[in-house]
Amino acid sequence: MSFKEYNQDQPFLLPLSLYDFLTDGHLAQVINDIVNELDLRELYARYSDLGCSAYHPQMILKVLFYGYARGERSSRVIAHRIKSDVAYMYLTALQQPDFRTINRFRKDNIDILKGLFVQIVRLCIEIGMANVGTIAIDGTKLKANASYRKTKRVADIDKEIEIIDKQIEAILKECDETDQKEDEVAGQDRSIYEVAAELKERQKLKERLQRAKEKVLANNSKEINLTDGEATTMLHKGYRPEPSYNGQIAVGGNGVIVAATLTTNPADYEALKELIEETETNTGEKPLEVLADSGFSSYENLEYLEDSGINGYIPDQKTESIRKGTCQHPEFHKSRFRYNETDDTYTCPMEKTLPYKGLMKRQGKPDIRIYRCDACSKCERKAECTKAEYRTIGLDPREYLFEKMRIRLGTKEGKGKYSKRKYLVEPVFGDMKYNQNMRQLLLRGKLKAKGEFLIMCIAHNLKKIARYLIGTGNSNPMPCPI
């Protein structure tokens, strides 16, 4: 049989460039060219001329971005790839920083990532691949680097401190008994012994629990995670509670993330204003339309959009529950009650009247008008309508904002625009979670967790740039106009 020559010891006649081992338009080439053009003066300023020379920060930045784009986020995995993967070798120029160097660089420079993210967003706009006329926003729960078993309430902390006190008391008692026995044998001139290691551990744990308790009380929260004290318990799929953060993004054209933030609130609605303002700051353009799911629906958000002159397409949660069939007895939903302006009353689906009963005062928010039906006891369908003695309706003076939004979403144009949200923002989280392995954060604390989330967003945008350049026939990226 005839085979091509196969010799692993064959030397090269001329030295080769690692660039030659990569195909044109390879992701590593794109990341290399883009990072070369980034303004890294703030990063360079953190290094000193004294002491041993450090690895070039530009090189480690390239390695981190490429690793996150590949779903390889562990510093140990990246350090291993540097020794075995040609693309990593190309980015490092055959240098081999260890995992501690990579991890230390990531943690120490987490605060400059926002500026790098903005530079790359502006590059996307400059080369014509992103626009922010219409943005879609969404959030996703990211598990923190902590276990739910380490989440404690104040009562749990008090119980553990009580148990530890008893253990410390038992250890000290045992030490005293041992000393007395030794005194009987060796006399009163005894040696000075170190505190038992077990006692030290118990005392340290007690101090840690006391600090955690103080933090819970200071923040007026219900619980705290002892591993990551800033993570919040959030429900994931299957209603599984986990210490987590809520990653929020705004996506423009071509799936480019134009704004990103990380919150400790399981609900999404608080992030809408921040994402819109971040989009304008990052891109220099104010979005004209915002698409979001019902998690972002609130009176405050709709007021903000109206005051800002931005068209929102955001269904409210009550309407969505009817549409999805998750609302029990939708025929008795508040939206099915008819308001009568002439006598300021509501009429229920069973044609019974709900007259005005008074105002419910609220601090810092508009008062709510209360309407109550007095004929519920005689209604044959009362059990489907309410579990209380009487059916009550609360009317917020801003209710017209929800009604305007329902009308807008009910039109053909509104339905068409809102449907864009599904293929603008949802595939982005799908790619990041399943291809970039973004199901759990590696760094602890909100600041570091937010920085890691920004690295993920940067890596996603870099992948988008590489695909865009190939799609436009420009497999060799041009220097970035930043």
Side-chain angles (χ1 to χ4, degrees):
M1 298 180 69
S2 177
F3 296 104
K4 291 184 179 181
E5 184 179 353
Y6 175 66
N7 183 1
Q8 292 176 296
D9 298 321
Q10 174 67 46
F12 293 110
L13 176 63
L14 297 172
L16 296 178
S17 167
L18 286 169
Y19 190 93
D20 296 332
F21 287 99
L22 303 179
T23 58
D24 286 343
H26 192 282
L27 179 60
Q29 292 178 357
V30 176
I31 290 175
N32 180 75
D33 292 348
I34 291 174
V35 174
N36 281 344
E37 299 298 326
L38 294 177
D39 182 356
L40 301 178
R41 284 175 292 182
E42 184 182 354
L43 179 58
Y44 295 155
R46 299 184 174 193
Y47 287 80
S48 170
D49 292 331
L50 303 176
C52 181
S53 298
Y55 283 106
H56 202 294
Q58 192 181 61
M59 177 265 286
I60 301 181
L61 204 58
K62 293 174 183 178
V63 166
L64 274 175
F65 288 168
Y66 183 69
Y68 271 73
R70 289 275 307 271
E72 295 164 348
R73 299 187 294 128
S74 164
S75 56
R76 292 178 185 271
V77 171
I78 291 174
H80 172 71
R81 291 283 185 267
I82 285 172
K83 298 177 182 178
S84 60
D85 189 298
V86 174
Y88 281 99
M89 292 178 184
Y90 162 70
L91 293 173
T92 61
L94 294 178
Q95 294 181 13
Q96 296 182 354
D98 63 17
F99 74 91
R100 291 184 183 86
T101 301
I102 296 168
N103 191 44
R104 194 182 307 117
F105 176 90
R106 177 173 54 187
K107 289 192 295 184
D108 292 348
N109 299 294
I110 210 81
D111 55 319
I112 69 163
L113 292 167
K114 177 63 188 300
L116 301 181
F117 171 75
V118 173
Q119 289 187 55
I120 292 171
V121 168
R122 290 179 180 173
L123 164 65
C124 294
I125 294 172
E126 187 72 27
I127 63 177
M129 68 171 291
N131 60 75
V132 293
T134 298
I135 61 169
I137 64 176
D138 202 2
T140 190
K141 309 294 191 299
L142 300 172
K143 187 180 180 302
N145 186 4
S147 169
Y148 181 63
R149 290 178 297 175
K150 292 292 184 179
T151 299
K152 307 291 182 182
R153 296 175 180 270
V154 173
D156 299 330
I157 294 174
D158 286 337
K159 285 181 183 177
E160 290 202 26
I161 289 175
E162 186 180 342
I163 292 170
I164 290 170
D165 281 337
K166 290 180 180 178
Q167 291 173 340
I168 290 173
E169 186 181 344
I171 293 170
L172 290 173
K173 185 178 179 181
E174 185 182 347
C175 289
D176 287 341
E177 291 174 355
T178 303
D179 286 345
Q180 287 176 6
K181 289 179 182 178
E182 290 176 351
D183 287 345
E184 291 174 3
V185 176
Q188 294 293 327
D189 243 0
R190 28 173 211 189
S191 305
I192 299 173
Y193 294 98
E194 290 185 2
V195 179
E198 187 181 359
L199 181 60
K200 283 184 178 180
E201 290 175 6
R202 290 289 181 274
Q203 288 172 334
K204 285 181 180 178
L205 181 56
K206 180 181 176 181
E207 290 170 4
R208 186 181 172 194
L209 288 168
Q210 286 173 332
R211 287 195 300 270
K213 179 181 176 180
E214 290 169 7
K215 193 170 182 180
V216 173
L217 295 174
N219 295 338
N220 198 24
S221 56
K222 295 180 180 179
E223 58 188 22
I224 190 171
N225 187 278
L226 300 181
T227 307
D228 186 345
E230 295 184 81
T232 304
T233 300
M234 302 182 190
L235 293 179
H236 289 245
K237 286 184 178 179
Y239 297 96
R240 177 171 47 90
E242 294 285 2
S244 309
Y245 292 95
N246 194 350
Q248 304 280 343
I249 59 172
V251 177
N254 282 309
V256 174
I257 301 172
V258 293
T261 189
L262 194 82
T263 72
T264 54
N265 189 344
D268 293 332
Y269 63 90
E270 286 187 357
L272 181 136
K273 182 180 178 182
E274 182 182 354
L275 287 172
I276 292 175
E277 291 177 349
E278 286 259 341
T279 298
E280 188 171 359
T281 301
N282 296 347
T283 65
E285 299 178 41
K286 181 180 177 180
L288 303 176
E289 297 176 337
V290 173
L291 316 176
D293 63 21
S294 59
F296 291 89
S297 179
S298 71
Y299 290 121
E300 291 76 15
N301 285 343
L302 297 190
E303 274 186 316
Y304 168 74
L305 291 174
E306 191 165 80
D307 293 343
S308 304
I310 300 172
N311 287 329
Y313 295 86
I314 310 173
D316 60 272
Q317 294 183 357
K318 294 175 181 177
T319 304
E320 276 292 274
S321 65
I322 294 176
R323 185 183 68 81
K324 293 179 179 178
T326 56
C327 175
Q328 268 193 321
H329 311 299
E331 62 271 28
F332 292 101
H333 189 271
K334 176 183 173 180
S335 60
R336 300 291 194 259
F337 284 62
R338 187 172 68 254
Y339 179 68
N340 313 302
E341 283 189 52
T342 52
D343 56 355
D344 189 21
T345 62
Y346 272 95
T347 302
C348 79
M350 300 302 290
E351 296 301 323
K352 290 180 170 43
T353 302
L354 285 77
Y356 170 68
K357 293 294 182 179
L359 288 174
M360 184 175 76
K361 299 288 185 180
R362 296 193 300 176
Q363 189 173 2
K365 292 183 179 181
D367 299 335
I368 291 181
R369 296 178 67 82
I370 300 299
Y371 299 82
R372 191 183 72 193
C373 179
D374 297 323
C376 289
S377 59
K378 300 176 183 178
C379 181
E380 58 186 15
R381 301 189 67 182
K382 175 183 178 298
E384 300 170 54
C385 183
T386 180
K387 294 180 181 178
E389 186 177 358
Y390 301 104
R391 176 61 189 265
T392 303
I393 293 286
L395 178 62
D396 191 295
R398 300 169 292 179
E399 184 71 26
Y400 74 95
L401 293 169
F402 277 170
E403 191 56 39
K404 281 176 66 176
M405 186 63 70
R406 290 174 192 135
I407 293 171
R408 181 182 298 163
L409 288 168
T411 63
K412 184 178 180 181
E413 181 186 7
K415 289 177 181 177
K417 288 190 175 182
Y418 181 68
S419 66
K420 292 180 182 178
R421 189 193 68 84
K422 294 179 182 177
Y423 59 81
L424 273 178
V425 68
E426 290 186 359
V428 173
F429 276 139
D431 177 55
M432 292 172 74
K433 279 197 164 185
Y434 293 96
N435 296 329
Q436 290 179 224
N437 195 25
M438 192 196 71
R439 295 184 185 88
Q440 178 174 342
L441 296 162
L442 300 180
L443 304 184
R444 295 171 182 166
K446 185 180 177 182
L447 177 63
K448 292 179 180 177
K450 185 176 181 179
E452 187 180 10
F453 182 59
L454 281 173
I455 299 179
M456 296 173 185
C457 294
I458 289 171
H460 170 82
N461 283 348
L462 291 171
K463 286 166 62 180
K464 287 291 181 181
I465 293 173
R467 290 171 189 164
Y468 177 80
L469 293 172
I470 292 173
T472 56
N474 187 0
S475 57
N476 292 312
M478 75 295 284
C480 305
I482 297 174

